[in-house]
Amino acid sequence: MTSTILVTGGTGFIGSHTTVLLQQAGYRTLVLDNLCNSSANVIDRIAQISGTRPDFIQGDIRDPALLDTLFKNNNIAGIMHFAGLKAVGESTRLPLQYYDNNVNGTVCLLLAAQKAGVKTIVFSSSATVYGDPISLPITEDHPRSATNPYGHTKLVIEDILENLYNAEPGWRIARLRYFNPVGAHPSGLIGEAPQGTPNNLMPYVAQVAAGRRERLQVFGSDYNTPDGTGVRDYIHVMDLAQGHLAALQHCQTKDSTLLSVNLGTGNGFSVLDMVRAFEAASGRAIPYDLVPRRPGDIAACWADTQRAEALIGWKATLGINQMCADAWRWETGQANQATGS
Ligand SMILES: NC(=O)c1ccc[n+]([C@@H]2O[C@H](COP(=O)([O-])OP(=O)(O)OC[C@H]3O[C@@H](n4cnc5c(N)ncnc54)[C@H](O)[C@@H]3O)[C@@H](O)[C@H]2O)c1
């Protein structure tokens, strides 16, 4: 039996791009996703791009019987664990759902993996575990704190993974802390497809450029940043996917390891920088209003990327113009599909 990577959340935004790269690198992939925030047709798109169809099971990571069957019937060499709920605002309204889905879901997954003797896992953590940064750029040793239930689920899962690593020899664990993933596959076939109103800047900007929304609201223009708007470390999803491959391959060379690694570019761009870059990429004007800050938002955040480079030999290569061009191609491709043109 060929060895397989189990990709939880593999029809989602970051999981789908990573599945493409895994397949192109010669891994067999098994995608497990309950489709609560994605669509099954992503599997067709992954097949179209990579030339091989991932195996796909529609199911939940909180289903122990299903997990046992998957581990029994497949020669799983490692897990890429993307499945989770990710909307900060929603997490403050529905904390129990977030703890159940993210924390309990991860415990179910780890119990099944432990039973099956699978001890390699790459986990989607987030720069949100750094809370409001006290120093920039943010290194992996920056103190961790959570400012909302979503962030707290990531913190707790990071700790669970560390407890497991300390308790049992042989685990190979990468905790990847993403900064702000944006962009799409250059084919325009897969990208971020938020349901309802986008929570993140880039899909919102794309929808304004496409005329699907009237204006962008820029939350906060009086931060202590060069133009007063919030500054973030935007990272192209293809770079991010490449970082997962590098982390997996690094883990596979070790008998045992526990890593925390930032995946960012090391560069901060403001909201208005991104608006201008998107206007240039799309050729469309993006009307916006400056409105008061959103509670809980931080002024600025960007990654120290030295550990990623030194430890897993990975560095982001794509800049904001590419991010915007690829996001725009994806946005217009979706619009053409909707109108049948
Ligand atoms: N996109 C970001 O800005 C960002 C930043 C930092 C960390 N992350 C983390 O990265 C991971 C992937 O994020 P994304 O942007 O691709 O999100 P996404 O919502 O596009 O993908 C997550 C996928 O997981 C699936 N899923 C959710 N709960 C599940 C469950 N219980 N069982 C099976 N499948 C389930 C969803 O249907 C979805 O396809 C998440 O864990 C997220 O918290 C994302």
Side-chain angles (χ1 to χ4, degrees):
M1 246 193 310
T2 328
S3 71
T4 298
I5 302 300
L6 172 64
V7 187
T8 76
T11 47
F13 174 42
I14 303 165
S16 57
H17 290 78
T18 307
T19 301
V20 164
L21 289 194
L22 282 167
Q23 301 221 135
Q24 288 174 337
Y27 291 95
R28 183 175 165 254
T29 57
L30 169 61
V31 169
L32 171 64
D33 200 303
N34 66 4
L35 303 181
C36 71
N37 198 36
S38 55
S39 149
N41 71 16
V42 170
I43 296 294
D44 301 331
R45 303 296 186 88
I46 296 171
Q48 205 177 329
I49 298 168
S50 65
T52 328
R53 200 175 175 78
D55 287 332
F56 173 58
I57 302 289
Q58 181 176 352
D60 200 293
I61 54 167
R62 291 164 296 178
D63 182 343
L66 171 65
L67 290 172
D68 285 346
T69 308
L70 292 185
F71 280 109
K72 194 163 148 245
N73 293 345
N74 296 276
N75 183 22
I76 294 174
I79 305 165
M80 293 261 186
H81 178 30
F82 298 97
L85 301 177
K86 63 168 183 176
V88 169
E90 185 183 63
S91 79
T92 60
R93 291 194 306 279
L94 303 172
L96 295 181
Q97 278 85 340
Y98 271 68
Y99 284 108
D100 181 37
N101 198 79
N102 294 3
V103 178
N104 177 35
T106 301
V107 172
C108 290
L109 180 66
L110 291 170
L111 282 168
Q114 184 186 49
K115 216 197 279 185
V118 175
K119 292 185 160 187
T120 303
I121 182 163
V122 176
F123 168 62
S124 302
S125 189
S126 166
T128 192
V129 300
Y130 297 120
D132 200 345
I134 52 177
S135 56
L136 291 168
I138 303 178
T139 69
E140 288 83 353
D141 299 324
H142 185 286
R144 296 178 315 148
S145 71
T147 52
N148 55 67
Y150 166 70
H152 206 234
T153 67
K154 294 293 178 193
L155 256 174
V156 172
I157 296 167
E158 284 202 351
D159 290 346
I160 291 171
L161 290 167
E162 185 163 345
N163 295 158
L164 185 58
Y165 171 79
N166 289 333
E168 276 179 31
W171 279 89
R172 304 185 293 189
I173 299 170
R175 301 175 297 186
L176 303 182
R177 297 177 180 154
Y178 314 160
F179 280 67
N180 288 68
V182 297
H185 192 272
S187 64
L189 289 171
I190 54 174
E192 188 170 10
Q195 296 175 355
T197 309
N199 289 303
N200 296 332
L201 175 70
M202 191 67 124
Y204 204 105
V205 166
Q207 292 188 7
V208 174
R212 290 168 62 192
R213 293 187 189 274
E214 254 178 46
R215 302 174 74 80
L216 171 73
Q217 289 193 315
V218 178
F219 297 104
S221 52
D222 56 353
Y223 287 113
N224 185 18
T225 59
D227 65 19
T229 65
V231 167
R232 297 289 180 274
D233 184 341
Y234 295 95
I235 173 165
H236 197 297
V237 65
M238 294 306 295
D239 272 334
L240 195 66
Q242 205 73 57
H244 284 74
L245 209 58
L248 175 70
Q249 287 167 345
H250 173 85
C251 285
Q252 289 183 320
T253 64
K254 302 283 172 195
D255 292 333
S256 164
T257 190
L258 174 72
L259 320 170
S260 303
V261 176
N262 286 341
L263 295 185
T265 64
N267 302 310
F269 289 98
S270 74
V271 175
L272 297 184
D273 289 333
M274 295 309 281
V275 167
R276 280 188 288 268
F278 210 93
E279 285 183 330
S282 63
R284 304 280 180 94
I286 298 166
Y288 64 84
D289 298 311
L290 300 175
V291 300
R293 298 178 183 193
R294 251 183 338 196
D297 276 354
I298 58 176
C301 161
W302 64 89
D304 185 303
T305 59
Q306 290 179 51
R307 186 183 287 181
E309 224 178 317
L311 213 57
I312 62 171
W314 169 89
K315 192 174 167 36
T317 59
L318 303 171
I320 59 168
N321 293 337
Q322 190 71 46
M323 298 177 204
C324 293
D326 289 335
W328 180 239
R329 191 177 304 107
W330 162 242
E331 178 63 37
T332 47
Q334 281 184 298
N336 290 343
Q337 265 205 341
T339 58
S341 59

